[in-house]
Structures are given as C-alpha cells and as structure tokens.
Amino acid sequence: VQLQASGGGMVQAGESLRLSCVASGRTLRGVAVGWFRQAPGKEREFVAASSRTGGGTIFSNSVKGRFSISRDNAKNTVYLQMNNLKPEDTAVYYCAADSSIITSSLSNPIHWDYWGQGTQVTVSS
C-alpha cells in the first residue's frame, strides 16, 4: 500500500489543521492506520491510531482531547483533525498503515509496515 500525507502548514497557536492520508494499492478496510510525528533532533513519536476494525482509536496523552482521527472508506482516506494546536505540536507528521498490527503495538513505530512521506506542521506562538 502507498500512502500520501498532506494538509500540513503554518498556523498560530490555538488554530486547527486537518491532515489527510490517502492510500492506494489496497483498501484501508481492515487495515490499521496511525499518525506519528518527528520534531528536529527527536525520535519519531506516536500521535494517534485507528485499529484494523476502525472501531478503536488511541491517542498520545499530549494530544488527547485536541486531536481526532477518522476514516472515509469511500475515499480510502484517513484524517487527523488537530485542534487547539500548540507550538510543541510542530513536527513532520507521518501516516502509517499495517494490516496485521495488534492493538497493543499501535503506538510503537517499529511495528508499522507502510509509511507516507510526511507533511510539515509548524505552530507559532
């Protein structure tokens, strides 16, 4: 599966962005999709994920209550809605997909097989 992330940009603190991750090559039905981010000089960190069934979602503590994840199966697209953005959310955001990952492994980037190219999000104070 190929993933194309988009929607990043430069915003001020408190504003919102919606990232999109469009998949090609196979349907996202039955596939877990996750979002990770990496700031300069830091390791890639987990942001949010939707399980293979699409019924379960998890978020990192740093974004819980501000970010949400949703799917549009007709468009084979997963979205990350980011509200009340903070300067510490600044990073390159990556989407990932995997058809066999288990729920307990969703937050670990080493367990994901497919990655998009990343989209830059910059939040100014």
Side-chain angles (χ1 to χ4, degrees), residues 3-8 18-22 32-38 44-50 58-60 63 67-71 77-82 92-97 106-109 112 115-121:
L3 303 173
Q4 180 76 32
S6 63
R18 188 178 76 161
L19 305 184
S20 300
C21 179
V22 181
V33 182
W35 288 93
F36 293 78
R37 65 188 182 188
Q38 188 165 16
R44 190 166 298 189
E45 67 168 348
F46 170 74
V47 176
S50 172
I58 61 172
F59 299 89
S60 69
V63 308
F67 289 14
S68 62
I69 190 169
S70 62
R71 295 174 179 252
T77 300
V78 176
Y79 302 99
L80 182 69
Q81 177 67 42
M82 308 185 295
V92 177
Y93 282 70
Y94 298 90
C95 60
L106 288 173
S107 62
N108 193 332
W112 293 81
W115 292 87
Q117 84 291 359
T119 183
Q120 175 71 47
V121 172

Side-chain angles (χ1 to χ4, degrees), residues 9 15 17 28 33 46 64 79 94 96 105:
E15 295 184 339
L17 280 174
L28 286 179
V33 182
F46 170 74
K64 197 174 295 183
Y79 302 99
Y94 298 90
S105 298

